[in-house]
Structures are given as C-alpha cells and as structure tokens.
Amino acid sequence: MRYIRKKFPRRYRGGGKKRRWAVWLVLAVIVIAVFCERAISGVSPELIEEAARGYVLECISEAVDAEMEEDKGPFVNVEKGSEGQVSLVSADQERLNSLRAGVLERLSHSLKGRATVYVPVGSLTGVGLFNGRGFPVPVKLQLEGSAIVEFSTEFTGAGMNQTCHRLVMTVRARAYSPSKRFETSVETETTTVLAETMVVGEVPKMNLQQ
C-alpha cells in the first residue's frame, strides 16, 4: 500500500509557533497588568500627590495657551508725552476680563470629573534604582477642583535710568480627589507675562483696575 504525503501550502506552515507566541504575549500582558494593579494598590500618597500636581499644572498650561492663542493682545495701552517718554500704562480691561473668563471656563471642565494621571512603573517597585523610570502606568482619579485668575504689575530695574514694566497673570488652582483608594489634595500656581514695556526716565503711572 502506498502512502501519499500531502503537501500544504507554505501559508499554513508554522501556524503552531505563531499561536504559541500569541499565547505567551497574552500571558505577559496579564502578568504585567496584575503586577501594576497590585503595585498601584500600595502606591504612596506622595507619589499620587505629585502625579496629581503635574496633571493640574498641565491643565493650567493648556488653558492659558489656548486662550492666549485666541487673543495675543496687546493687553496694555501705552501713552507717551510730548517728548516721547512713556507717561501712562493702562490695562485693557475688556481683554483681561475675557482672558480670565476663558481660562476659568476651561479649567472648570478639566479640573472636575474623572482624570487620568500617570506614574512611572519603576516607582511602583519600591526599589530606589528604578524610581521615576519605566513606562507610565495610568491611575484614575475623581477630581473636584477650582481656580482663580489675578493680574498684577511688576517694575524691575533694566539698566541706568531704565525700568521694565510687566503685566503678569497668576493662575492658582486646587484639586481634591475624595477617592478612598487615592485620596489626595494639591494646590499650585503659574505666572504668565502678558506684556512688557521698557521705560526710560521717570516711572510712569499704571492703571490696573480689577
């Protein structure tokens, strides 16, 4: 009796190896997920606080950048005397109020509700050598936050008989996560220079109504 050996097309060969690799890949993903879940359960409050602070700062930066992109100013009006010297610097209240409202509106959405912060996987091992290293592991937080926006002026010396005037916006934000698992509270602020005016001679009057 003669046996006929069937030949399968090349595309059907090696299917077993591919399946084994797929199984190993799935198992590796499961092991990593279990490790991250257990490690996150024991993550320190300081680590969560630092991650939350980074998230809040990112929210502020995005809100300010977006509003500044829509209105680049100028945010001050400069009046000069008969000899060309700066005599009065006044803020554009309409623009400043619009900027404040826009930033606060954006932050009212980003600082409330479910948020995702990231912790380096090395920081979850408890080993100092790996702290701050590795791929980011997402941590879910339920945030409640608020913010305030204030404007102020600064005068700094800029050389002989010269003064630099700056209009500065300060954004202060605080956020709180009431979660029993990841309870944390952070407060931070950023400053942005909205306008700079170089003055030669006597320091001019400044009109900045809040």
Side-chain angles (χ1 to χ4, degrees), residues 14-25:
K17 291 184 178 179
K18 291 182 179 179
R19 284 194 293 272
R20 285 196 294 271
W21 275 109
V23 171
W24 280 110
L25 180 60

Side-chain angles (χ1 to χ4, degrees), residues 10-208:
R10 182 176 296 275
R11 65 176 179 271
Y12 293 111
R13 300 175 189 175
K17 291 184 178 179
K18 291 182 179 179
R19 284 194 293 272
R20 285 196 294 271
W21 275 109
V23 171
W24 280 110
L25 180 60
V26 172
L27 289 176
V29 171
I30 293 175
V31 170
I32 293 175
V34 172
F35 165 76
C36 292
E37 179 64 23
R38 292 185 176 180
I40 288 176
S41 299
V43 68
S44 67
E46 292 79 12
L47 197 58
I48 293 296
E49 181 180 339
E50 188 63 26
R53 179 174 288 105
Y55 174 82
V56 173
L57 284 172
E58 184 178 356
C59 289
I60 296 176
S61 178
E62 290 178 353
V64 172
D65 290 346
E67 289 301 316
M68 293 288 289
E69 185 65 27
E70 292 187 4
D71 188 354
K72 296 181 172 64
F75 295 99
V76 296
N77 300 313
V78 179
E79 297 183 14
K80 295 184 178 181
S82 57
E83 299 181 359
Q85 78 279 13
V86 177
S87 59
L88 176 65
V89 180
S90 59
D92 189 325
Q93 291 300 320
E94 185 176 350
R95 275 201 164 116
L96 292 183
N97 290 335
S98 177
L99 178 61
R100 176 193 282 119
V103 171
L104 292 178
E105 175 67 20
R106 293 178 185 275
L107 290 178
S108 68
H109 295 292
S110 59
L111 294 181
K112 289 185 180 181
R114 200 163 182 80
T116 301
V117 301
Y118 295 91
V119 177
V121 67
S123 300
L124 305 179
T125 63
V127 180
L129 182 63
F130 300 145
N131 190 42
R133 302 176 183 271
F135 59 86
V137 178
V139 177
K140 301 293 184 181
L141 299 178
Q142 187 68 30
L143 291 182
E144 293 290 337
S146 61
I148 60 173
V149 176
E150 297 177 333
F151 302 102
S152 60
T153 60
E154 296 178 355
F155 290 94
T156 57
M160 184 174 296
N161 202 31
Q162 291 184 343
T163 305
C164 180
H165 164 263
R166 291 188 179 93
L167 174 62
V168 179
M169 177 177 65
T170 301
V171 181
R172 296 186 178 89
R174 57 171 41 181
Y176 171 67
S177 174
S179 170
K180 293 182 179 180
R181 187 178 185 186
F182 299 121
E183 183 178 0
T184 189
S185 178
V186 295
E187 184 173 355
T188 188
E189 69 177 51
T190 65
T191 58
T192 303
V193 178
L194 300 180
E196 282 188 334
T197 304
M198 189 64 66
V199 180
V200 178
E202 185 179 353
V203 177
K205 297 179 181 179
M206 178 63 202
N207 182 13
L208 177 63

